Amino acid sequence: MAVTDHVDLNGFMEGVKKRNPYQPEFVQAVQEVAEDIFEFMQDKEEYHSQQILRRIAEPDRVVSFRVCWEDDAGNIRVQRGWRVQNNNAIGPYKGGIRFHPSVTESVLKFLAFEQTFKNALTGLPMGGGKGGSNFNPKGKSVREIMRFCQSFMTELYRHIGADIDVPAGDIGVGGREIGFMFGQYKRITNNFTGVLTGKGLEWGGSLIRTEATGYGAVYFLANMLATKGEDLTGKTAVISGSGNVATHAAEKIVQLGGKVLTLSDSGGFIHDPDGITQDKIDWVKTHKTHRRGRIEEYVEAFPGATFHAGKTPWGVPCDVALPCATQNELLGEDAKTLVANGCRAVSEGANMPTDLDGVHTFKHHKILYAPGKASNAGGVAVSGLEMSQNSERRSWKEEELQQMLKDIMSGIHNSCIKYGDQGGGYIDYVKGANIAGFKKVADAMLAFGVV
Ligand code: NDP
Ligand code: 2IT
């Protein structure tokens, strides 16, 4: 037998833990994938002997750098920036940039690892990467954010390129920040190229990129419900977060006839038993996204609602749930509560929002449960379409893009069924997504030999 630490799942995970001390999020993401891949690899010696999973779980490179900037009071601030280039077997590295004080190397490594499988699932030629900084945009002036973005790009520019690595947005990074970073990239390199996605429509952006992650997560949810002959009409939905993904998921739920009961932020959640209608969603978008307000102020604008400080919304009874804020925001106990209250489907808009206990709980109860790498892939999929439009130097129509997004989400759903159908009407979407994503990347890596 070849020299390998792929002896069994436990041995493999011991190695991952040893090589990545103090990186719990990364270890958690690898564990969730490895649980399924070890079973899949049982009779596939080549994947073992070529150490494919071991290689995917070791980023191609992690670039770490200092980001200095000057605040409005003239103080020099020093932040840390990273770009994790996990795997480019099937295309240029691709994945968002996150600005949040909780960002660490572990968080970005888990995100880049997940992104590798997610991007493979879209069917588009994109590898996996992620970047970011522990910079906290909250309470900063626009000029401070601009100076930070410029300083961040002054280092990042040398590591990226339209055919090398194409960053986009994530938590704390929206259209405004992409604009500041694109402007700096263009200034330094004198090169107008599709090096970032999520760009403004006037300068190379794609229609529906902003909406794509939230809409896609709801399309995936609708696909799952359809396997049971159901749709979203009249269904109650509990959603966490109140940023880009959460507000667009809420919007699509409402469009498809559902009733949204909750939204949240890091301060707590609001519960609106009358339903969060389109005009209320528009209020949240303006209030949270553009003015950087707090979700608790919703109850002043809409007095029928209540605010629950420091709490997550999973105790509110619902038919469907969409965690759309951040990692590990839905724990094992929350999963049990959701199931006990009759929740039938969970579609993750965020990346790894459910901890391993929660994942195991959903699987145990065989509810319709979509992991983020499948259900939130709509955003990066439209980023991939933005790259294609940039290469073609033209813009596609909104209807074309809407249809492509729907088709891509259905395609991912079909891939999950292909590898996750357990018989008896139960589809293990986690397993399906992990195996389908892994197989595509693994087969490309086999073709390249040991590089
Ligand atoms: P935004 O910055 O637009 O919104 C983030 C939301 O999550 C805010 O409501 C924020 O609350 C809340 N949040 C962030 N961190 C925490 C935390 N530690 N605890 C509680 N709440 C928190 O980000 P997005 O909507 O873009 O991203 C949300 C999730 O979706 C992330 O997991 C991201 O990786 C994932 N995702 C995003 C994609 C995209 O296209 N944007 C694509 C695929 C996945 P507060 O305002 O209080 O910070
Ligand atoms: O997690 C994600 O998929 C994103 N933040 C979007 C990445 C992208 O390149 O559009």
Side-chain angles (χ1 to χ4, degrees):
M1 192 168 158
V3 177
T4 170
D5 59 357
H6 280 117
V7 178
D8 61 17
L9 174 62
N10 289 338
F12 174 76
M13 285 312 304
E14 278 315 307
V16 172
K17 282 179 201 152
K18 216 162 101 188
R19 286 189 297 275
N20 300 281
Y22 313 113
Q23 301 202 337
E25 295 88 359
F26 178 65
V27 171
Q28 179 185 340
V30 175
Q31 166 98 35
E32 192 240 73
V33 168
E35 284 178 5
D36 291 319
I37 297 306
F38 264 82
E39 195 190 318
F40 171 68
M41 287 197 304
Q42 261 170 14
D43 55 350
K44 296 175 185 66
E45 183 47 36
E46 208 174 5
Y47 293 148
H48 280 291
S49 63
Q50 294 303 307
Q51 303 237 39
I52 297 294
L53 186 59
R54 167 90 164 78
R55 283 154 67 187
I56 298 179
E58 194 68 51
D60 288 357
R61 65 190 65 78
V62 178
V63 183
S64 161
F65 49 95
R66 186 187 63 229
V67 188
C68 297
W69 59 285
E70 195 178 338
D71 69 20
D72 286 346
N75 302 305
I76 303 303
R77 305 283 198 100
V78 183
Q79 242 79 43
R80 196 166 283 181
W82 290 269
R83 186 71 183 166
V84 179
Q85 298 179 332
N86 193 71
N87 187 292
N88 67 352
I90 63 166
Y93 304 106
K94 177 87 196 88
I97 290 178
R98 179 178 291 190
F99 291 162
H100 194 271
S102 65
V103 166
T104 60
E105 192 174 310
S106 170
V107 166
L108 296 177
K109 277 174 67 178
F110 113 65
L111 288 162
F113 178 78
E114 286 281 291
Q115 198 84 42
T116 302
F117 299 89
K118 182 196 307 193
N119 293 2
L121 284 168
T122 65
L124 300 173
M126 301 181 289
K130 200 85 185 189
S133 172
N134 58 354
F135 172 71
N136 185 359
K138 282 202 193 87
K140 303 290 188 298
S141 72
V142 177
R143 282 158 55 231
E144 287 176 324
I145 287 174
M146 181 180 76
R147 285 197 292 274
F148 179 80
C149 288
Q150 291 174 340
S151 184
F152 186 83
M153 184 53 85
T154 301
E155 173 61 30
L156 185 68
Y157 89 95
R158 67 187 88 241
H159 308 292
I160 61 177
D163 294 312
I164 299 170
D165 184 352
V166 183
D170 193 80
I171 292 176
V173 177
R176 180 180 65 184
E177 290 74 21
I178 294 291
F180 291 149
M181 287 192 271
F182 186 79
Q184 183 73 348
Y185 181 88
K186 190 167 66 58
R187 183 177 187 192
I188 296 172
T189 63
N190 199 26
N191 198 353
F192 194 114
T193 179
V195 68
L196 296 168
T197 59
K199 299 188 289 299
L201 295 179
E202 306 81 5
W203 37 282
S206 173
L207 286 163
I208 82 161
R209 173 61 190 88
T210 310
E211 298 87 349
T213 310
Y215 281 17
V218 177
Y219 292 146
F220 199 93
L221 176 62
N223 277 313
M224 291 200 295
L225 289 169
T227 65
K228 305 282 179 203
E230 294 180 41
D231 63 23
L232 277 159
T233 316
K235 293 229 167 25
T236 49
V238 160
I239 300 180
S240 65
S242 48
N244 172 280
V245 180
T247 51
H248 291 103
E251 190 165 292
K252 187 51 74 179
I253 293 271
V254 170
Q255 285 172 14
L256 295 182
K259 184 175 179 185
V260 178
L261 298 177
T262 68
L263 287 171
S264 74
D265 65 17
S266 50
F269 78 91
I270 55 104
H271 179 197
D272 186 343
D274 298 331
I276 304 172
T277 49
Q278 184 63 55
D279 56 324
K280 295 175 181 174
I281 296 169
D282 289 341
W283 182 91
V284 174
K285 278 188 189 170
T286 308
H287 186 70
K288 282 278 326 183
T289 316
H290 305 306
R291 294 201 198 115
R292 306 248 177 230
R294 308 306 306 155
I295 199 68
E296 65 177 292
E297 287 144 15
Y298 181 101
V299 300
E300 288 156 31
F302 307 105
T306 48
F307 175 65
H308 305 263
K311 295 217 163 61
T312 49
W314 315 122
V316 175
C318 61
D319 298 314
V320 300
L322 293 106
C324 295
T326 193
Q327 64 273 5
N328 291 329
E329 55 162 325
L330 197 166
L331 311 178
E333 284 306 312
D334 302 319
K336 281 187 196 141
T337 305
L338 280 167
V339 174
N341 284 341
C343 176
R344 297 207 286 292
V346 177
S347 181
E348 294 184 344
N351 287 304
M352 206 170 75
T354 310
D355 76 353
L356 270 174
D357 272 359
V359 173
H360 293 152
T361 302
F362 290 144
K363 282 189 175 206
H364 174 73
H365 289 279
K366 298 191 172 177
I367 68 158
L368 297 167
Y369 165 56
K373 63 170 78 69
S375 46
N376 74 34
V380 76
V382 174
S383 277
L385 301 177
E386 182 172 330
M387 289 165 72
S388 302
Q389 293 171 84
N390 292 166
S391 300
E392 263 191 77
R393 290 185 160 72
R394 58 178 288 239
S395 302
W396 300 336
K397 293 195 181 72
E398 177 165 351
E399 309 86 72
E400 294 175 281
L401 288 157
Q402 292 281 13
Q403 194 55 47
M404 284 187 230
L405 173 60
K406 278 187 196 159
D407 290 347
I408 290 171
M409 296 316 294
S410 299
I412 297 173
H413 186 260
N414 288 341
S415 299
C416 290
I417 293 179
K418 182 169 177 190
Y419 293 104
D421 191 344
Q422 305 296 287
Y426 174 55
I427 296 151
D428 182 341
Y429 285 93
V430 179
K431 184 190 227 178
N434 283 337
I435 296 176
F438 172 80
K439 193 173 179 314
K440 182 168 178 187
V441 176
D443 290 346
M445 290 172 73
L446 287 179
F448 301 149
V450 183
V451 289

